[in-house]
Amino acid sequence: MASFKIEGGYQLSGTITPQGAKNEALQVICASLLTKEPVTISNIPDIRDVNNLIQLLRDIGVQVEGGRQNEERTYTFCAASLNMEYLQSDEFVHKCAELRGSVLMIGPLLARMGKAVITKPGGDKIGRRRLDTHFLGFKCLGAKFHHVAERAVYEIDAKQLKGTYMLLDEASVTGTANIVMAAVMAKGTTTIYNAACEPYIQQLCRMLNRMGANISGIGSNLLTIVGVDELHGTTHRLLPDMIEVGSFIGMAAMVGNGIRIKNVSVADLGIIPDTFRRIGVKVDIDGDDLFIPCQKHYVVDSFIDGTIMTLADAPWPGLTPDLLSVLIVVATQARGSVLFHQKMFESRLFFVDKLIDMGAQIILCDPHRAVVVGHDRKLTLRAQRMSSPDIRAGIALLIAAMSARGVSIISNIEQIDRGYENIEARLNALGAHIERI
């Protein structure tokens, strides 16, 4: 197990470029399973979750060319011949159990091959992350499920998926992506209401349309998909990772002495910049870049009626839950108080105990709500030894450690590596003092 050793108290300055979007990468890479023809994807991040998924595709027979060594991080996937017997192996089940992104293989495999196997996927330890939306969507399309208790897997069969109307029980991003990929080759028309409409879902749908799919309503929560007989190859470029962009905004607010974030695709950031502005952080837009100037103090807004600022996560175009951890850390040094309401996961706020140990003034009201009373930089966080429970809490703790007095140790950084590419080298280039041990 690796750890980060962080010497805090150094100001960072310079320019940093976000990696390609992790969540989009997992979706569009799996979409390559829908065709026998080559699919070329560029700007793929060199991170654990994505690399593990690419290896899993190799294991089932996908030919993969290119990789991390080329400047554009371009891969070409050709799923002309798939080893369906491997899907029945214990090795495949074990690998899927360690990688949450593997669940996105089900939709494409059902659409093209008529069968798939699923086990409970791994991922962040942030509470229960149910798969009911995926299952209900597949059942609506005509898939049949068979539980194999001794192997703890579900075998799914669908000789011919049939288009239908469905109202999703929640606007699940991975659920929407999976159902869309299954429906593009179903017989007839599928209408998905309460679909997720994040930029990454929009990117997936546009890529599928270039492959020959017929999807309308892109960008809304009502998607209409007319099934086609087959799809063909295409090229696709990933958006910048908006969660990494938000993480860098938070880092710049806490320890920055003027940081430029390059090529962020401003139009696809939604309310992320404005959310940081609500806790007092200056975010300047310069073309397609963001510039976060040095701020000795940043002051939390209040609502028009004078009540305490409340920030809550919500489906797009609301605030992504993946940035609440970073926003909480930034709020610890603001002037003012903020109530954070994390609605989507039961355990995501528990990491604040580590911030409290560092000297932050936080009241954890319950598993979903926390009040942060900002220090206004009058009290510096203390260095601590801690462990990263998930990707987003991990980067938040790293930002906290960079602002703290003394040397901090963060263990279990494999969680951070799942979502952030070569993060210590990129931050050290700005002036951080982070060592991987």
Side-chain angles (χ1 to χ4, degrees):
M1 257 194 176
S3 300
F4 279 148
K5 178 182 178 182
I6 307 105
E7 187 178 351
Y10 291 91
Q11 284 196 310
L12 279 57
S13 62
T15 299
I16 192 165
T17 302
Q19 67 192 26
K22 167 185 176 281
N23 291 337
E24 181 186 349
L26 298 175
Q27 295 173 22
V28 299
I29 288 171
C30 288
S32 69
L33 294 169
L34 286 163
T35 178
K36 296 180 179 180
E37 298 180 16
V39 174
T40 300
I41 305 171
S42 60
N43 201 29
I44 292 182
D46 183 12
I47 54 178
R48 288 188 64 192
D49 273 14
V50 171
N51 293 338
N52 287 344
L53 179 62
I54 292 172
Q55 183 56 51
L56 193 56
L57 262 62
R58 285 192 176 103
D59 292 340
I60 66 170
V62 177
Q63 297 298 311
V64 182
E65 297 180 358
R68 66 187 74 172
Q69 68 276 6
N70 64 72
E71 187 174 341
E72 283 293 309
R73 299 283 171 81
T74 299
Y75 288 77
T76 297
F77 303 89
C78 185
S81 177
L82 298 180
N83 180 5
M84 296 304 291
E85 291 183 3
Y86 182 74
L87 270 67
Q88 304 295 328
S89 69
D90 290 339
E91 181 181 346
F92 176 78
V93 170
H94 176 73
K95 287 187 175 182
C96 288
E98 294 182 337
L99 175 64
R100 183 163 184 84
S102 64
V103 73
L104 287 161
M105 297 170 61
I106 302 171
L109 289 172
L110 280 178
R112 184 172 158 209
M113 311 304 293
K115 58 182 178 180
V117 177
I118 183 174
T119 186
K120 184 178 179 181
D124 291 324
K125 307 306 180 188
I126 54 177
R128 187 172 60 94
R129 304 176 74 180
R130 61 188 183 87
L131 297 176
D132 297 57
T133 303
H134 305 245
F135 279 38
L136 293 171
F138 296 144
K139 284 183 177 179
C140 284
L141 292 170
K144 305 295 183 183
F145 289 76
H146 174 60
H147 186 219
V148 184
E150 61 270 19
R151 297 182 64 213
V153 300
Y154 283 92
E155 294 178 349
I156 314 173
D157 293 301
K159 291 182 180 179
Q160 176 61 68
L161 295 175
K162 294 182 180 180
T164 186
Y165 169 86
M166 64 182 80
L167 174 61
L168 301 188
D169 61 330
E170 64 174 358
S172 163
V173 176
T174 54
T176 299
N178 230 345
I179 296 165
V180 166
M181 288 189 284
V184 289
M185 294 172 68
K187 186 177 182 180
T189 299
T190 301
T191 304
I192 307 173
Y193 199 17
N194 195 30
C197 54
E198 271 79 354
Y200 306 144
I201 291 288
Q202 298 175 38
Q203 285 279 96
L204 171 67
C205 290
R206 293 188 185 107
M207 172 181 160
L208 291 171
N209 277 350
R210 290 196 303 274
M211 295 171 69
N214 186 345
I215 306 172
S216 58
I218 298 171
S220 76
N221 68 347
L222 180 61
L223 295 175
T224 301
I225 305 162
V226 180
V228 297
D229 292 333
E230 62 179 4
L231 298 181
H232 52 75
T234 190
T235 60
H236 181 78
R237 181 175 177 81
L238 301 181
L239 288 174
D241 195 309
M242 64 180 175
I243 310 303
E244 193 171 73
V245 172
S247 302
F248 292 156
I249 296 173
M251 175 194 70
M254 288 283 282
V255 296
N257 189 25
I259 290 179
R260 177 175 294 274
I261 311 172
K262 291 283 290 181
N263 302 326
V264 301
S265 189
V266 171
D268 293 298
L269 293 179
I271 65 170
I272 290 172
D274 280 340
T275 302
F276 281 95
R277 292 183 183 117
R278 295 184 99 176
I279 57 175
V281 178
K282 291 181 180 178
V283 181
D284 298 330
I285 297 174
D286 182 10
D288 208 30
D289 299 351
L290 299 181
F291 181 74
I292 293 80
C294 178
Q295 288 182 255
K296 291 185 178 179
H297 302 279
Y298 45 97
V299 182
V300 178
D301 284 345
S302 59
F303 288 115
I304 293 174
D305 62 0
T307 54
I308 185 173
M309 175 59 60
T310 300
L311 296 178
D313 61 337
W316 186 270
L319 177 63
T320 170
D322 284 347
L323 279 177
L324 278 187
S325 301
V326 171
L327 286 160
I328 287 171
V329 168
V330 176
T332 66
Q333 295 302 318
R335 180 186 300 164
S337 300
V338 191
L339 169 63
F340 290 93
H341 192 172
Q342 217 297 355
K343 300 176 182 178
M344 296 176 68
F345 303 108
E346 295 99 333
S347 308
R348 204 159 211 171
L349 292 185
F350 289 163
F351 88 103
V352 303
D353 286 348
K354 300 173 177 63
L355 297 178
I356 294 170
D357 289 341
M358 297 177 79
Q361 294 182 309
I362 302 175
I363 303 166
L364 185 59
C365 307
D366 56 44
H368 294 279
R369 295 178 300 157
V371 176
V372 181
V373 181
H375 290 167
D376 193 20
R377 300 196 191 274
K378 293 176 182 176
L379 294 174
T380 304
L381 296 178
R382 299 185 297 268
Q384 285 288 320
R385 180 179 291 271
M386 43 201 165
S387 177
S388 171
D390 65 78
I391 301 175
R392 309 310 174 186
I395 200 69
L397 293 174
L398 182 59
I399 293 169
M402 287 192 291
S403 74
R405 183 185 297 115
V407 176
S408 296
I409 303 292
I410 301 178
S411 61
N412 196 30
I413 61 169
E414 288 79 7
Q415 287 284 3
I416 302 175
D417 290 337
R418 289 178 48 225
Y420 293 85
E421 176 182 325
N422 197 19
I423 191 65
E424 73 273 24
R426 296 162 72 200
L427 298 186
N428 285 344
L430 300 177
H433 286 58
I434 305 170
E435 180 185 357
R436 183 179 291 258
I437 56 176

